[in-house]
Amino acid sequence: MWLLRPRGEGWVIDGTVGMGGHAEAILERSDAEVRLLGLDVDSEALDRAAARLARFGDRVRLRRANFRDLGTVAAGDGVVAARAVLLDLGVSSYQLDESGRGFSFLVEEPLDMRLDPAAPQTAAALLNELPETELARIIFEYGDERHARRIARAIVRRRPLATTGDLVAAVRGAVPRAAWSRRRHVATRTFQAIRMAVNDERGALRQALREAPGLLAVAGRLGIIAFHSGEDRMVKQTFRTLAREGFAELEPSPVVPGDDEVRANPRARSAKLRVLERLP
Ligand SMILES: C[S@@+](CC[C@H](N)C(=O)[O-])C[C@H]1O[C@@H](n2cnc3c(N)ncnc32)[C@H](O)[C@@H]1O
């Protein structure tokens, strides 16, 4: 997070505060006058962030909110001219491993996949109700899965799906054995795609990309960590456009984790960080 280390006073907005790991690192490394507004749609994640960040006292404000509403939430807290805005997209390890909401193909759980437990549609509802062609589109577009059509057909045949095991079985039955990779579970891409659709992750990112640049102070920085090529493409294209409108991308290529970081946290292997700065 060396690219987001504000000096002096002002606000940092962490739009995906999660368990507060990045927020903690930013607060530890910045001056004591820097305050942080942390958002997350998951109230359990916010409870964990609150415990982790308690020692920073009133330097921290946490809000249960979607980062698609970044502008309104910031305005409600009187936050203008932020020193930095961070979005670390996707799910946290806690959500994958402990939430019991069916994000992982490795454990048998109900097919929920809502990041916001109050959101209207679960993964089971989406898998059981959408037309086959729409399922295939989602799995292809959000999962980059070339067997999307066969998987969509297998899902429709297996309906009603209730658990992660049902979805894994549908994918296993649909993808030819010869195409299974040794490095990646056969259902990885499908799980990612369904999760992205359940939470409208693309839509939220599109909206945040519209709102976040306008919240930055001069020399303020917007950092976005994407794990999916489609999301990184959206960020890259938006940053290129903004480069003609008073902003500059800090590095010509995205920052990726080093070998040590990937060894310590294999889930970081596909992460790409891009940082945009507001020019005077
Ligand atoms: C990769 S984790 C962030 C981890 C965090 N940086 C940390 O250090 O603990 C992503 C977090 O963003 C949240 N999230 C995903 N989409 C969101 C959205 N549209 N609005 C707000 N929070 C969101 C998830 O609930 C999850 O807690």
Side-chain angles (χ1 to χ4, degrees):
M1 276 301 111
W2 56 273
L3 290 163
L4 304 174
R5 195 182 300 167
R7 292 275 158 252
E9 57 176 357
W11 284 93
V12 172
I13 305 174
D14 184 345
T16 51
V17 72
M19 289 175 296
H22 284 134
E24 183 179 43
I26 290 170
L27 286 163
E28 272 172 354
R29 288 163 181 74
S30 54
D31 292 339
E33 290 74 29
V34 170
R35 304 178 71 187
L36 182 131
L37 175 65
L39 277 59
D40 206 292
V41 278
D42 185 344
S43 44
E44 282 181 31
L46 282 176
D47 290 345
R48 287 167 187 245
R52 186 170 192 164
L53 304 173
R55 70 189 158 101
F56 297 103
D58 66 3
R59 289 179 70 193
V60 176
R61 259 187 228 169
L62 298 176
R63 298 280 176 252
R64 196 176 81 78
N66 195 305
F67 62 61
R68 69 163 77 234
D69 303 319
L70 210 54
T72 322
V73 178
D77 273 288
V79 177
V80 282
R83 309 297 303 264
V85 177
L86 172 67
L87 297 178
D88 178 13
L89 304 174
V91 278
S92 66
S93 329
Y94 141 72
Q95 285 160 332
L96 277 168
D97 300 332
E98 296 172 50
S99 71
R101 281 181 243 156
F103 290 111
S104 168
F105 40 74
L106 296 176
V107 272
E108 177 73 350
E109 288 171 355
L111 277 169
D112 182 320
M113 293 201 198
R114 288 171 301 175
L115 292 169
D116 173 359
Q121 193 179 38
T122 64
L126 185 144
L127 289 161
N128 292 327
E129 288 162 20
L130 282 192
E132 185 181 320
T133 47
E134 182 59 8
L135 278 176
R137 184 193 66 77
I138 287 170
I139 297 168
F140 180 71
E141 236 174 71
Y142 297 165
D144 294 323
E145 170 60 71
R146 59 194 184 92
H147 301 288
R149 279 216 211 126
R150 298 172 74 132
I151 294 171
R153 197 172 316 132
I155 289 170
V156 170
R157 282 212 194 108
R158 200 170 256 276
R159 282 174 174 171
L161 279 71
T163 67
T164 46
D166 293 339
L167 182 55
V168 170
V171 178
R172 276 183 200 267
V175 178
R177 278 255 168 196
W180 293 23
S181 151
R182 252 193 242 142
R183 287 177 40 231
R184 185 189 284 135
H185 189 286
V186 66
T188 305
R189 291 168 182 273
T190 303
F191 269 67
Q192 170 186 287
I194 301 300
R195 188 204 80 218
M196 288 176 75
V198 166
N199 298 290
D200 185 24
E201 294 180 33
R202 283 285 175 86
L205 176 59
R206 195 174 304 115
Q207 187 61 27
L209 282 168
R210 271 190 217 125
E211 304 213 347
L215 291 171
L216 294 177
V218 168
R221 290 176 176 183
L222 167 63
I224 303 188
I225 304 172
F227 291 82
H228 179 270
S229 56
E231 286 175 341
D232 181 57
R233 215 174 303 125
M234 272 173 74
V235 176
K236 177 172 149 182
Q237 283 165 358
T238 306
F239 283 13
R240 295 273 143 92
T241 307
L242 289 166
R244 296 192 288 273
E245 299 168 14
F247 295 86
E249 198 171 343
L250 280 201
E251 305 272 328
S253 319
V255 181
V256 295
D259 293 345
D260 287 350
E261 197 176 340
V262 173
R263 253 192 302 277
N265 176 17
R267 283 174 185 152
R269 68 180 180 274
S270 50
K272 284 184 178 166
L273 166 69
R274 292 182 188 272
V275 182
L276 185 79
E277 184 173 286
R278 180 167 196 159
L279 301 174

